[in-house]
Amino acid sequence: MSHSSTGGPAEGDTFDAGAGGILRQPKAVWATAGASVVAFMGIGLVDPILPSIAQGLDATPSQVSLLFTSYFLITAIAMLVTGFVSSRIGGKKTLLVGLALVVVFAALAGTSGSVGQLVGFRAGWGLGNALFVSTALAVIVGAAAGGSAAAILLYESALGLGMACGPLVGALLGNASWRYPFFGTAALMAVGFVCITLFLKEQPKPAQKTSLLDPIKALGHGGLASAAVSAFFYNYTFFTVLAFTPFVLDMTPYKSGGVFFAWGVLLALFSVIVAPRMQARFGSLKVLGGSLVLLAVDVLVLGYGSHTAAIVCTILSGAFIGVNNTVYTELALGVSDAPRPVASAGYNFVRWFAAAAAPYFAPKIEEWSNIHIPFVVAAVTAVLGAVVVGVRRSALTHEAEELEPKHATEDGVTVFAD
């Protein structure tokens, strides 16, 4: 299968042919992936210190949850800008601008004197992260050895490692002061800035500049729109677990960090190792639908079970989230003929709104009802994500199913045969 020049892989692209392994990559790819780890650390960094921030700034859980809402709301909107910017100034400069914004706003977040200031600085952080993360995937795909399959798994590895390390770093630094994790992130991103400057050559600019509306137009494709809507519902569940569960567990930063570190390890293992094998055997859509239903069951037990059950289910949810992340990323990049950065921007524009909504609504729902109901809502949204996959199966089969009977696994990496 070959795509048009406007979109995915062209004839002979290693996305289809497959070559090399995930670990045999040039320095530029490792520099970008390393900075991506730190970028994703920033998402889960505040998890174990949310109660500490609430206490330190005399804020309620719903106020503190705005740290996620402002971050992802700006990230979602900024997705429309990232392609516009990168197609004009190039991938490397876009990465560096994003990193610089994260360094500045993460450092400022550590100096906050009120929850309002902290929420505002997290919004600026979200803008930098959007510029960096969306461009990083395109840069890794463009520069990676082994084609797009290896590149996507490398990107998912960075996501998983960042998600795992974020809560751990947040706990270790946050045990002394809730401010230290923010300063630590700023320092690590500054290192990433230096590495990208030194090792990444400027990527060739696209022949055609991306307009602000291109990601929205890309969503006119039924398959991409279906993937985005399904991912929207899934992300609501994902970020209910990530942003609301720390208040339910009510543990010390160290213990909460340990729980979410284990959660992140499962996320990484299942996204990189388990998901490709399951896809090769059962097909992407069956794996995705089944994983979403199991995630729904998991969050219900999390909400209604004992404290021990809540800990176990929090950790276990990382496995389902890891599988879902990998399958959704492949669907978003492969289901339409839109250029990958444009398809990714449109897809992320939709799904990140749910990441902004869940941290805000979960504590509000608890205030209106009880501590169990936010998890009932999260279970329902996971099931809705699975329903979209089932109902829109024909629109999603362009890449998801046509290629899968020809999948083979090579060194643990899914290879796409033409």
Side-chain angles (χ1 to χ4, degrees):
M1 174 183 293
S2 63
H3 293 207
S4 71
S5 59
T6 61
E11 189 103 9
D13 192 326
T14 47
F15 183 88
D16 297 314
I22 190 173
L23 297 178
R24 298 191 290 273
Q25 303 295 341
K27 288 180 182 177
V29 172
W30 286 119
T32 308
S36 298
V37 171
V38 182
F40 287 119
M41 279 173 54
I43 296 175
L45 184 84
V46 297
D47 249 38
I49 56 171
L50 286 175
S52 300
I53 293 173
Q55 186 177 1
L57 295 177
D58 193 25
T60 65
S62 59
Q63 287 176 319
V64 172
S65 70
L66 291 175
L67 293 177
F68 285 100
T69 298
S70 65
Y71 181 89
F72 287 115
L73 186 61
I74 296 299
T75 296
I77 296 170
M79 284 298 162
L80 299 180
V81 179
T82 55
F84 177 86
V85 173
S86 64
S87 66
R88 283 161 176 77
I89 68 173
K92 180 176 180 177
K93 289 188 179 72
T94 306
L95 290 177
L96 293 177
V97 169
L99 284 168
L101 286 172
V102 173
V103 170
V104 170
F105 283 104
L108 287 173
T111 68
S112 300
S114 69
V115 71
Q117 284 184 350
L118 186 53
V119 168
F121 292 142
R122 278 283 283 183
W125 186 342
L127 173 60
N129 221 47
L131 287 169
F132 176 82
V133 169
S134 62
T135 310
L137 177 56
V139 168
I140 289 174
V141 168
S148 294
I152 288 172
L153 289 184
L154 186 62
Y155 182 79
E156 291 297 334
S157 299
L159 188 154
L161 189 58
M163 287 288 200
C165 292
L168 197 61
V169 171
L172 293 173
L173 296 177
N175 197 57
S177 168
W178 64 263
R179 299 180 187 273
Y180 291 167
F182 297 110
F183 294 137
T185 299
L188 288 170
M189 285 305 247
V191 173
F193 185 96
V194 173
C195 289
I196 297 259
T197 302
L198 293 177
F199 298 120
L200 181 64
K201 295 179 181 178
E202 183 56 80
Q203 305 292 297
K205 295 178 185 177
Q208 186 176 358
K209 290 184 172 66
T210 301
S211 78
L212 292 173
L213 293 179
D214 280 352
I216 300 294
K217 292 176 182 175
L219 290 169
H221 185 279
L224 183 61
S226 301
V229 170
S230 178
F232 174 89
F233 289 123
Y234 154 66
N235 262 38
Y236 186 94
T237 309
F238 177 179
F239 284 92
T240 297
V241 173
L242 191 64
F244 185 63
T245 303
F247 292 106
V248 176
L249 297 180
D250 193 23
M251 301 164 79
T252 64
Y254 273 135
K255 290 181 179 178
S256 182
V259 168
F260 278 96
F261 173 71
W263 167 86
V265 168
L266 275 187
L267 189 155
L269 290 175
F270 274 74
S271 64
V272 177
I273 297 173
V274 178
R277 287 173 166 77
M278 292 178 67
Q279 286 174 274
R281 182 167 182 180
F282 301 108
S284 289
L285 299 187
K286 289 179 182 176
V287 169
L288 183 58
S291 180
L292 286 167
V293 170
L294 290 173
L295 178 61
V297 174
D298 182 82
V299 295
L300 273 180
V301 177
L302 196 166
Y304 281 93
S306 64
H307 190 260
T308 301
I311 292 172
V312 171
C313 287
T314 299
I315 294 171
L316 185 59
S317 70
F320 306 122
I321 289 168
V323 170
N324 294 339
N325 285 350
T326 293
V327 179
Y328 274 122
T329 301
E330 289 187 5
L331 282 177
L333 292 185
V335 77
S336 77
D337 283 333
R340 290 179 200 140
V342 173
S344 177
Y347 160 78
N348 281 306
F349 171 71
V350 174
R351 76 181 182 112
W352 285 127
F353 275 110
Y360 175 77
F361 284 112
K364 288 290 185 185
I365 292 169
E366 183 202 9
E367 291 172 10
W368 300 332
S369 54
N370 58 58
I371 202 166
H372 307 299
I373 302 303
F375 294 101
V376 174
V377 174
V380 170
T381 55
V383 171
L384 286 174
V387 168
V388 171
V389 170
V391 171
R392 298 290 296 165
R393 185 178 194 86
S394 60
L396 292 168
T397 52
H398 178 61
E399 285 285 338
E401 295 294 337
E402 283 181 15
L403 290 175
E404 274 161 13
K406 302 176 184 180
H407 275 196
T409 327
E410 180 179 292
D411 298 330
V413 176
T414 304
V415 176
F416 296 76
D418 198 351

